[in-house]
Amino acid sequence: MKLTVNGGTSLLGEVKTQGAKNAVLPILSACVVCRGDVVLHNCPDLSDVRSAIKILEHLGLIVTREKDTLIIKCGQIKNCSVPENLMREMRSSVVFLGAILASCGCADISMPGGCELGPRPIDMHLSSLKKLGAEIKDEHGRLKCRVKDKLCGCNIDLWFASVGATENIILASALAKGKTVITNAAREPEIVDLANFLNACGAKIYGAGESTVVIEGVDKLHGCEYSVMPDRIAAVTYLASAAVTGGDVNVLNVKREHIVSVTSLFEKAGGNISFGKDSVRLKQKERPKPLYIVKTMPYPGFPTDAQAIIMTMCALSSGTTMFVETIFENRFRHVDELVRMGANIKTEGKVSVVNGVEKLHSANVNCTDLRGGAALVLAALSAEGETKIDSIYHIDRGYEKIENNFKALGADIKRISP
Ligand code: UD1
């Protein structure tokens, strides 16, 4: 599948953001530790979500979808092993480890490999689960885990505020004996959403969204009805489409506090940002101004997931911006594709220097990863002529009906079979 985009038109109008991919995935894995019915609203239909559902079904849970609501019948899981093909479909499948272990006292999953963003070690996930009482052996690329008696609460200090490790610890310790205290926990809003979901199921989790999270283990967790938080990165992507096309886009279903580190940069670039109740609007009248330096940081800093998106805006700006990527080792693979479209960008290790050009031009380009793919769609929307974007399965991991949303804003964009 490819996207073809005939760009150069200012985008105008309103678009509603989907539910957050990075919140729904850990919440789906949390269903493994619940017993009863879970009704999950605002659940985006994404390939990563479909992969998580396949894992749940393999474990014996029954999942049905009605529009954007998932109904999950959670019972005792039938097996604790996840086949390699299902694990490989989705990088974040490692978040099932803590949940499966807590649910049935054993887990057998394949070791996740590297990915398009570089090596993705899980040492903090494993050392934390070991501290909670799991025995873990790496046998030919499969992780064989078991708990002798029950997982037991403890103090866990993370050397880096890893999102996935914090989620795995919360999932594993929700049913553990006693109290777990995570120090230097990740503070991302998706962690808060996971904790709110689990608390609605009867868990006792305190301090999510802060650096210290306390989990008092409970005996069992029931089902609940819950609505997934809005996707802050999708929101930023639609706002950026106004910035790169000189447009006026109002994004609905977004929380101001989740995106201020990015909206402040849109303002710095000369955009007019206004917040409504659960909505954000960006009007861009002039060519974007340079941002000089953008450094990715854990939340509440500037998110690595928005780096490629904001880079496209800077590629069109009237000056120079230096991007410093501090979270992932290999997150500039979209740069070569932007250069094919006329961008002037030089990369050295963790730094990319972007010298803005007046216009990008159309080209045939290839998505290198999810957010890099979104950055190419933005570049294509700004560029006159037809751009063909290949390998859009990356984009489909995280954006629901991206072409329909941009079409509604006036873009000429189509999905075509090869
Ligand atoms: C999550 C998000 C991803 C986002 C990232 C950072 C999901 C599904 N994905 O990924 O979109 O870009 O947070 O905000 O929510 N690390 C280790 N050892 C570990 C764990 C992590 O060295 O045990 C390193 C990673 O290699 C990476 C950094 O820590 O360099 C950040 O990783 P982490 O916060 O864990 O990101 P993810 O949970 O994988």
Side-chain angles (χ1 to χ4, degrees), residues 123-244:
D123 50 318
M124 272 184 279
H125 299 243
L126 300 185
S127 59
S128 306
L129 293 174
K130 281 181 187 163
K131 225 174 162 197
L132 285 162
E135 283 175 13
I136 304 180
K137 284 188 199 145
D138 178 356
E139 288 182 8
H140 313 288
R142 282 204 71 86
L143 291 170
K144 309 263 182 185
C145 316
R146 67 187 188 103
V147 184
K148 262 199 188 136
D149 181 17
K150 209 177 173 204
L151 291 168
C152 284
C154 62
N155 293 338
I156 298 175
D157 302 335
L158 296 178
W159 58 264
F160 179 82
S162 154
V163 174
T166 304
E167 290 166 348
N168 242 331
I169 300 165
I170 290 176
L171 287 161
S173 56
L175 290 174
K177 204 162 116 191
K179 186 161 91 174
T180 300
V181 180
I182 314 172
T183 310
N184 195 23
R187 294 191 283 158
E188 269 68 1
E190 292 77 11
I191 306 268
V192 179
D193 217 36
L194 172 65
N196 287 345
F197 168 79
L198 283 166
N199 285 343
C201 295
K204 291 188 173 166
I205 302 164
Y206 310 99
E210 293 163 29
S211 302
T212 303
V213 178
V214 178
I215 306 113
E216 278 173 16
V218 295
D219 288 337
K220 53 181 194 275
L221 294 167
H222 47 75
C224 76
E225 187 166 354
Y226 192 78
S227 194
V228 177
M229 63 170 269
D231 195 308
R232 58 196 169 104
I233 305 299
V236 161
T237 308
Y238 295 122
L239 289 174
S241 72
V244 298

Side-chain angles (χ1 to χ4, degrees), residues 21-22 25-26 91-92 117 119-125 159-165 167 188 232 304-305 327-329 331 371:
K21 169 181 93 71
N22 287 354
L25 297 176
R91 165 61 184 61
S92 49
L117 308 182
R120 298 283 285 261
I122 55 164
D123 50 318
M124 272 184 279
H125 299 243
W159 58 264
F160 179 82
S162 154
V163 174
E167 290 166 348
E188 269 68 1
R232 58 196 169 104
T304 173
D305 287 350
I327 309 292
F328 289 108
E329 275 185 35
R331 207 166 193 180
R371 305 302 169 186

Side-chain angles (χ1 to χ4, degrees), residues 36 40-41 43-45 67 74 78 113 154 174 190 207 221 282 285 292 297 316 331-332 351 354 359 374 382 394 416:
L40 208 52
H41 302 294
C43 225
D45 189 11
K67 295 192 179 143
C74 312
K78 287 192 184 136
C154 62
E190 292 77 11
L221 294 167
L282 173 59
K285 289 219 176 90
Y292 304 112
M297 302 284 275
L316 288 159
R331 207 166 193 180
F332 286 134
V351 175
V354 182
K359 280 184 176 173
S382 80
H394 286 294
I416 51 164

Side-chain angles (χ1 to χ4, degrees), residues 84-398:
E84 184 158 353
N85 60 321
L86 290 184
M87 285 299 291
R88 278 193 187 274
E89 274 189 25
M90 182 182 66
R91 165 61 184 61
S92 49
S93 51
V94 70
V95 82
F96 276 89
L97 179 57
I100 296 175
L101 206 50
S103 178
C104 64
C106 60
D108 176 355
I109 67 166
S110 58
M111 188 86 179
C115 76
E116 56 276 2
L117 308 182
R120 298 283 285 261
I122 55 164
D123 50 318
M124 272 184 279
H125 299 243
L126 300 185
S127 59
S128 306
L129 293 174
K130 281 181 187 163
K131 225 174 162 197
L132 285 162
E135 283 175 13
I136 304 180
K137 284 188 199 145
D138 178 356
E139 288 182 8
H140 313 288
R142 282 204 71 86
L143 291 170
K144 309 263 182 185
C145 316
R146 67 187 188 103
V147 184
K148 262 199 188 136
D149 181 17
K150 209 177 173 204
L151 291 168
C152 284
C154 62
N155 293 338
I156 298 175
D157 302 335
L158 296 178
W159 58 264
F160 179 82
S162 154
V163 174
T166 304
E167 290 166 348
N168 242 331
I169 300 165
I170 290 176
L171 287 161
S173 56
L175 290 174
K177 204 162 116 191
K179 186 161 91 174
T180 300
V181 180
I182 314 172
T183 310
N184 195 23
R187 294 191 283 158
E188 269 68 1
E190 292 77 11
I191 306 268
V192 179
D193 217 36
L194 172 65
N196 287 345
F197 168 79
L198 283 166
N199 285 343
C201 295
K204 291 188 173 166
I205 302 164
Y206 310 99
E210 293 163 29
S211 302
T212 303
V213 178
V214 178
I215 306 113
E216 278 173 16
V218 295
D219 288 337
K220 53 181 194 275
L221 294 167
H222 47 75
C224 76
E225 187 166 354
Y226 192 78
S227 194
V228 177
M229 63 170 269
D231 195 308
R232 58 196 169 104
I233 305 299
V236 161
T237 308
Y238 295 122
L239 289 174
S241 72
V244 298
T245 65
D248 180 354
V249 172
N250 191 26
V251 180
L252 308 177
N253 192 29
V254 54
K255 296 263 176 263
R256 175 191 176 131
E257 63 272 24
H258 291 171
I259 60 166
V260 285
S261 65
V262 189
T263 48
S264 59
L265 293 185
F266 285 131
E267 281 180 320
K268 195 171 170 192
N272 185 325
I273 284 277
S274 51
F275 291 97
K277 188 183 177 297
D278 295 339
S279 69
V280 188
R281 179 173 175 181
L282 173 59
K283 270 194 254 182
Q284 185 85 29
K285 289 219 176 90
E286 52 192 33
R287 183 178 175 193
K289 295 189 183 86
L291 300 174
Y292 304 112
I293 183 156
V294 176
K295 192 171 175 179
T296 63
M297 302 284 275
Y299 190 84
F302 176 79
T304 173
D305 287 350
Q307 177 253 107
I309 293 159
I310 296 302
M311 187 180 284
T312 297
M313 178 178 80
C314 293
L316 288 159
S317 73
S318 53
T320 302
T321 303
M322 181 167 79
F323 284 79
V324 184
E325 173 56 59
T326 72
I327 309 292
F328 289 108
E329 275 185 35
N330 190 12
R331 207 166 193 180
F332 286 134
R333 290 179 62 212
H334 51 278
V335 166
D336 286 348
E337 303 301 306
L338 288 175
V339 168
R340 285 173 80 93
M341 297 183 72
N344 178 352
I345 310 175
K346 297 269 181 305
T347 300
E348 180 68 46
K350 293 188 165 193
V351 175
S352 262
V353 177
V354 182
N355 284 303
V357 294
E358 206 151 317
K359 280 184 176 173
L360 294 174
H361 55 70
S362 58
N364 292 341
V365 289
N366 207 20
C367 298
T368 51
D369 61 271
L370 166 58
R371 305 302 169 186
L376 294 180
V377 175
L378 293 169
L381 290 169
S382 80
E384 276 167 26
E386 184 176 90
T387 295
K388 283 199 172 79
I389 306 173
D390 211 337
S391 304
I392 58 167
Y393 60 89
H394 286 294
I395 297 179
D396 292 336
R397 284 184 43 227

Side-chain angles (χ1 to χ4, degrees), residues 53-61 78-83 86:
I53 292 172
K54 276 193 219 164
I55 295 179
L56 289 179
E57 289 174 337
H58 172 82
L59 296 173
L61 278 64
K78 287 192 184 136
N79 61 62
C80 63
S81 150
V82 182
L86 290 184

